[in-house]
Amino acid sequence: MFQQRLTETSGLARACLHDAIRNDGVLAEAMRYATAGGKGLRGFLVMESARLHGVSDQRSVRPAAAIEAVHAYSLVHDDLPCMDDDDLRRGLPTVHRKWDEATAVLVGDALQTLAFELLTHDAVGDARVELIATLARAAGQAGMVHGQALDIAAETAPIPLNIDEIIALQAGKTGALIRWSAEAGALMASADPAPMRDYATAMGLAFQIADDILDVEGNAQTVGKAVGKDADAGKATFVSLLGLNAAKTRAAELVEQACDALAPYGQDAETLREAARFVIQRDR
Amino acid sequence: MFQQRLTETSGLARACLHDAIRNDGVLAEAMRYATAGGKGLRGFLVMESARLHGVSDQRSVRPAAAIEAVHAYSLVHDDLPCMDDDDLRRGLPTVHRKWDEATAVLVGDALQTLAFELLTHDAVGDARVELIATLARAAGQAGMVHGQALDIAAETAPIPLNIDEIIALQAGKTGALIRWSAEAGALMASADPAPMRDYATAMGLAFQIADDILDVEGNAQTVGKAVGKDADAGKATFVSLLGLNAAKTRAAELVEQACDALAPYGQDAETLREAARFVIQRDR
């Protein structure tokens, strides 16, 4: 069920996103390139949480495309030489390697703008302003970008981060967009977003622990980006702080927590539970 | 009247913007730094066009702060080494010189996000979604960022741009935000934005011609940034294409056009007319 729905939603969200990229120049080409790959997990969370609350794919596809645009923008900027300096993303050259740094800066900028434009579409419905406001908070100075700033500060800090600091950093850097994705469907249906928030908070942390495990155990070709970078840089990660086995145990516990949070939805939420299990089983 | 209202609106917009910058870290500090200076012309256009349409400063101050945030974000990214590589902005070190490139990328990213968050505030009123949608179009792939991409492409093009291409480039790069600023007040009052659009289109072009003239005639210390860069780079500008005198004549004609476009508002629009005259008389 999950894999099928993931394929379906990522296809719909990507088509919607690419349809919204206009012009024929280098900028549009690089924007399409930057959003062509990836699992589409955030867009899936939007569309599946929407379906769970009785909101149609037609209404939820633009918020799904929007969150994928924000995610892609953050990766393009994160890969820049002045940030993580990565040459490979999703198995292909990063935008600044395929084009140049200026193009990568502009592609990220334009993708962020496009995300907000997508959320203004009539089909999104009455929750538009709330979705825009919550996405801005999740993506900005109090969310994702805040987490990235903490991450950069940590690189030059004299003492590696402790576990609480890593959790706070990741709650911003990757957690905020995952939470927004899961809550979006509830907001579109004017339902209580609390269960989806609890689900996403636990799942987001499990996702990041799994990422740290992949950085140690993963194969660069399968993962689609460089691995072993954190250990080489002496960076504190869940694996360096907890050890590999304890990190795996913690991730599995968080996935159980995520599944339990969906109890109010009963069997209807099974696809979302599968998604939570997937994040710690994936190999990329 | 104009100088007084410019001082007033830029103070209000900056206070609103700085109030919306939370946290105490480096990111917040650098966001405040990047938005501390500048003339505040775009925010003035928002608030004065709003006043002209009977919309209070209390309602228009957030859209004014939003456009100043977008303008500041574009300058921070534009100044990066991979873009224009500028060390000085508004007479002070650029963000990447005072901090580093990673901080400059994140500051620009967070300021763009903040702009959209500001527009979701209740006080902005019913036009919120339309203001967000039009700002996204003005700032993104079809507006400002499109103009910047054309500008980068022009730098490596074998043949310098001709006058029509320069006009198209500038209509995106600087014109789109100036048009949005002038139209915002009309949109907030559900009035016809056409006269404000005509005003801003002529004024935006005059503004850019004046910028090119300042790059030739201006004093770096007064202008607050490096001058003579375009000529040194062999870049086509309004001055290189028209000659200095014809460029001045053209700018003055455009200012007259801008003033004439405000005829439907009679004497009430005198402050906006003064603003148009100011853009070709300024020394920075």
Side-chain angles (χ1 to χ4, degrees), chain A residues 13 18 20 27 29 61 71 74 76 81-82 131 138 146 149 168 202-203 223 240 269 276 284:
Chain A
H18 284 200
L27 183 67
E29 191 191 339
V61 69
H71 179 52
S74 76
V76 172
C82 67
L131 288 174
H146 178 59
M203 180 190 182
V223 177
S240 75
R284 66 186 182 99

Short mmCIF file of all heavy atoms in Angstrom, two decimals, chain A residues 13 18 20 27 29 61 71 74 76 81-82 131 138 146 149 168 202-203 223 240 269 276 284:
data_model
loop_
_atom_site.label_atom_id
_atom_site.label_comp_id
_atom_site.label_asym_id
_atom_site.label_seq_id
_atom_site.Cartn_x
_atom_site.Cartn_y
_atom_site.Cartn_z
N ALA A 13 2.60 15.04 -7.44
CA ALA A 13 3.20 16.27 -6.91
C ALA A 13 4.26 16.81 -7.88
O ALA A 13 4.34 18.01 -8.12
CB ALA A 13 3.82 16.03 -5.53
N HIS A 18 6.26 20.65 -11.80
CA HIS A 18 6.89 20.94 -13.09
C HIS A 18 5.97 21.76 -13.99
O HIS A 18 6.43 22.59 -14.77
CB HIS A 18 7.34 19.64 -13.76
CG HIS A 18 8.58 19.08 -13.13
ND1 HIS A 18 9.41 18.18 -13.74
CD2 HIS A 18 9.15 19.35 -11.91
CE1 HIS A 18 10.42 17.90 -12.93
NE2 HIS A 18 10.28 18.58 -11.82
N ALA A 20 4.16 24.05 -12.89
CA ALA A 20 4.21 25.42 -12.36
C ALA A 20 5.53 26.12 -12.69
O ALA A 20 5.66 27.32 -12.48
CB ALA A 20 3.99 25.40 -10.85
N LEU A 27 17.25 28.73 -15.96
CA LEU A 27 16.67 28.73 -14.61
C LEU A 27 15.58 27.66 -14.49
O LEU A 27 15.58 26.86 -13.55
CB LEU A 27 16.09 30.12 -14.30
CG LEU A 27 15.51 30.30 -12.90
CD1 LEU A 27 16.60 30.24 -11.83
CD2 LEU A 27 14.77 31.65 -12.80
N GLU A 29 15.10 25.06 -16.44
CA GLU A 29 15.70 23.74 -16.63
C GLU A 29 16.34 23.25 -15.32
O GLU A 29 16.15 22.09 -14.92
CB GLU A 29 16.77 23.85 -17.73
CG GLU A 29 17.30 22.53 -18.23
CD GLU A 29 18.55 22.70 -19.12
OE1 GLU A 29 18.75 23.81 -19.65
OE2 GLU A 29 19.31 21.73 -19.23
N VAL A 61 -2.75 18.28 -3.88
CA VAL A 61 -1.55 18.12 -4.71
C VAL A 61 -0.68 19.39 -4.71
O VAL A 61 0.55 19.29 -4.76
CB VAL A 61 -1.92 17.66 -6.14
CG1 VAL A 61 -2.64 18.76 -6.92
CG2 VAL A 61 -0.67 17.20 -6.89
N HIS A 71 11.62 21.63 0.10
CA HIS A 71 12.65 20.63 0.41
C HIS A 71 13.78 20.69 -0.63
O HIS A 71 14.97 20.70 -0.28
CB HIS A 71 12.00 19.25 0.44
CG HIS A 71 12.95 18.13 0.72
ND1 HIS A 71 13.81 18.12 1.79
CD2 HIS A 71 13.18 16.97 0.06
CE1 HIS A 71 14.52 17.02 1.78
NE2 HIS A 71 14.18 16.30 0.74
N SER A 74 15.99 23.69 -0.20
CA SER A 74 16.90 23.58 0.94
C SER A 74 18.09 22.68 0.60
O SER A 74 19.22 22.94 1.03
CB SER A 74 16.17 23.06 2.18
OG SER A 74 15.94 21.67 2.10
N VAL A 76 19.39 22.22 -2.49
CA VAL A 76 20.25 22.94 -3.45
C VAL A 76 21.16 23.93 -2.72
O VAL A 76 22.36 23.99 -2.99
CB VAL A 76 19.40 23.66 -4.52
CG1 VAL A 76 20.27 24.56 -5.40
CG2 VAL A 76 18.64 22.65 -5.38
N PRO A 81 29.06 24.97 -2.07
CA PRO A 81 30.41 24.89 -1.49
C PRO A 81 30.52 25.58 -0.13
O PRO A 81 31.23 25.08 0.75
CB PRO A 81 31.27 25.59 -2.54
CG PRO A 81 30.55 25.37 -3.82
CD PRO A 81 29.08 25.40 -3.48
N CYS A 82 29.82 26.69 0.07
CA CYS A 82 29.93 27.40 1.36
C CYS A 82 29.13 26.72 2.47
O CYS A 82 29.26 27.09 3.64
CB CYS A 82 29.50 28.86 1.22
SG CYS A 82 27.75 29.09 0.86
N LEU A 131 -2.02 27.58 5.89
CA LEU A 131 -0.95 26.73 5.35
C LEU A 131 0.29 27.56 5.03
O LEU A 131 1.43 27.13 5.29
CB LEU A 131 -1.43 26.00 4.08
CG LEU A 131 -2.44 24.87 4.29
CD1 LEU A 131 -2.93 24.34 2.94
CD2 LEU A 131 -1.86 23.73 5.12
N ALA A 138 7.62 26.96 9.61
CA ALA A 138 8.37 25.69 9.56
C ALA A 138 9.66 25.83 8.76
O ALA A 138 10.67 25.21 9.07
CB ALA A 138 7.50 24.59 8.96
N HIS A 146 16.64 27.87 10.87
CA HIS A 146 17.21 27.93 12.22
C HIS A 146 18.06 26.69 12.49
O HIS A 146 19.18 26.79 12.99
CB HIS A 146 16.06 28.04 13.24
CG HIS A 146 16.52 28.06 14.67
ND1 HIS A 146 17.38 29.00 15.18
CD2 HIS A 146 16.24 27.21 15.70
CE1 HIS A 146 17.59 28.76 16.47
NE2 HIS A 146 16.93 27.67 16.80
N ALA A 149 21.27 26.91 10.61
CA ALA A 149 22.20 27.86 11.25
C ALA A 149 22.87 27.22 12.47
O ALA A 149 24.07 27.40 12.68
CB ALA A 149 21.45 29.14 11.64
N ALA A 168 17.35 19.05 19.22
CA ALA A 168 16.80 20.38 18.95
C ALA A 168 17.16 20.85 17.54
O ALA A 168 16.32 21.40 16.82
CB ALA A 168 17.32 21.38 19.99
N ALA A 202 7.76 12.12 16.10
CA ALA A 202 8.49 10.87 16.34
C ALA A 202 9.11 10.36 15.04
O ALA A 202 10.28 9.95 15.00
CB ALA A 202 7.54 9.83 16.93
N MET A 203 8.34 10.40 13.97
CA MET A 203 8.84 9.90 12.69
C MET A 203 10.01 10.74 12.17
O MET A 203 10.98 10.21 11.62
CB MET A 203 7.71 9.93 11.67
CG MET A 203 8.11 9.44 10.30
SD MET A 203 6.77 9.83 9.17
CE MET A 203 7.39 9.13 7.67
N VAL A 223 22.80 5.24 -1.77
CA VAL A 223 22.29 6.42 -1.05
C VAL A 223 22.15 7.61 -2.01
O VAL A 223 21.25 8.43 -1.86
CB VAL A 223 23.21 6.77 0.14
CG1 VAL A 223 22.73 8.03 0.85
CG2 VAL A 223 23.25 5.61 1.15
N SER A 240 27.27 8.65 16.66
CA SER A 240 28.49 8.91 17.43
C SER A 240 28.16 9.07 18.92
O SER A 240 28.96 8.73 19.77
CB SER A 240 29.23 10.14 16.90
OG SER A 240 28.58 11.34 17.29
N ALA A 269 -5.27 4.61 8.95
CA ALA A 269 -3.94 5.23 8.94
C ALA A 269 -2.83 4.23 8.66
O ALA A 269 -1.65 4.54 8.84
CB ALA A 269 -3.70 5.94 10.27
N ALA A 276 6.06 5.19 8.28
CA ALA A 276 6.95 5.35 9.45
C ALA A 276 7.93 4.19 9.52
O ALA A 276 9.13 4.38 9.78
CB ALA A 276 6.13 5.43 10.73
N ARG A 284 18.27 4.40 1.15
CA ARG A 284 18.70 5.66 0.55
C ARG A 284 17.86 6.82 1.07
O ARG A 284 16.80 6.60 1.61
CB ARG A 284 18.60 5.60 -0.99
CG ARG A 284 17.19 5.49 -1.53
CD ARG A 284 17.21 5.30 -3.04
NE ARG A 284 15.84 5.23 -3.56
CZ ARG A 284 15.20 6.24 -4.12
NH1 ARG A 284 15.77 7.41 -4.22
NH2 ARG A 284 13.98 6.10 -4.57
#
